[in-house]
Amino acid sequence: LAQTYTNWELQIVDDCSPTTPASAVLSNLTDSRIKITRHEQNLGCANARNTAATKSNGEILLSFDSDDKLAPTYVERTLKAMLESQASAAYSDVKVFGMHDYIYKPTTELGAIFTGHYPHNTILFKRESFEAVGGYKSVGKVDDTEFWISLIELGTKFAYVSEPLYFYRRHSKSLTQSSDATLYLDLLNVMIKHHK
């Protein structure tokens, strides 16, 4: 709602929340640009993002997790950078907050990604690129990393804004804070899949 770029729509996907449905939590919002869809069963992050993309009308998409935040100029700045450089995707630096406090610089270098420099889900992209890679894949806890890798392998041109405009929340229950082996196994499986 605070974005300086105002020609947007917000598709909220309630992935079968076990507590209060999103429609009840957000019942006081009257902005016609906001739509809410509820999955009848929990389908995971990748499917929720794909549902939002399918239901949206725009040609530019941005997946956004409910516990993160955007600077008011995020859409305006990344969209401008993308259009000016004739790119198909754009991203900015990330301000990590919560349990940790630092600036993270995502990369589109596959070598860096494969060696642990994993991108966050902070990217603006054209619908045609989303469709070309088949959307988000359900690959455990790393569907956002897999999506970036797919875009890079597609030959996507990226625009980069060297300013922390995306705020990524780190807390004890974040998927990236997981101490179990499944996160690393998911990453390994994605790397093997894309190494072929």
Side-chain angles (χ1 to χ4, degrees), residues 78-104:
T78 53
L79 181 60
K80 182 174 186 279
M82 187 177 78
L83 296 176
E84 285 180 350
S85 62
Q86 298 183 326
S88 295
Y91 63 99
S92 74
D93 289 340
V94 177
K95 168 70 172 167
V96 177
F97 71 103
M99 285 179 62
H100 306 285
D101 183 19
Y102 61 93
I103 304 298
Y104 182 80

Side-chain angles (χ1 to χ4, degrees), residues 178-196:
S178 173
S179 59
D180 62 42
T182 58
L183 173 66
Y184 304 105
L185 185 58
D186 292 343
L187 286 167
L188 179 61
N189 287 332
V190 164
M191 289 182 211
I192 291 170
K193 171 191 168 192
H194 285 276
H195 183 65
K196 293 179 181 177

Side-chain angles (χ1 to χ4, degrees), residues 27 49 77 81 101 114 157 165 191:
S27 61
R49 291 170 180 157
R77 295 285 306 283
D101 183 19
F114 283 164
K157 181 178 179 182
L165 301 175
M191 289 182 211

Side-chain angles (χ1 to χ4, degrees), residues 160-175:
Y160 165 60
V161 178
S162 180
E163 184 181 343
L165 301 175
Y166 192 101
F167 299 87
Y168 180 80
R169 187 187 309 269
R170 276 276 174 87
H171 51 82
S172 60
K173 296 186 180 180
S174 297
L175 289 180

Side-chain angles (χ1 to χ4, degrees), residues 65-125:
D65 293 339
S66 62
D67 59 345
D68 297 337
K69 300 192 290 185
L70 295 176
T73 57
Y74 180 90
V75 175
E76 180 183 3
R77 295 285 306 283
T78 53
L79 181 60
K80 182 174 186 279
M82 187 177 78
L83 296 176
E84 285 180 350
S85 62
Q86 298 183 326
S88 295
Y91 63 99
S92 74
D93 289 340
V94 177
K95 168 70 172 167
V96 177
F97 71 103
M99 285 179 62
H100 306 285
D101 183 19
Y102 61 93
I103 304 298
Y104 182 80
K105 295 181 177 294
T107 180
T108 58
E109 295 294 325
L110 280 178
I113 293 171
F114 283 164
T115 56
H117 194 76
Y118 311 119
H120 293 287
N121 187 38
T122 165
I123 185 172
L124 191 84
F125 50 91

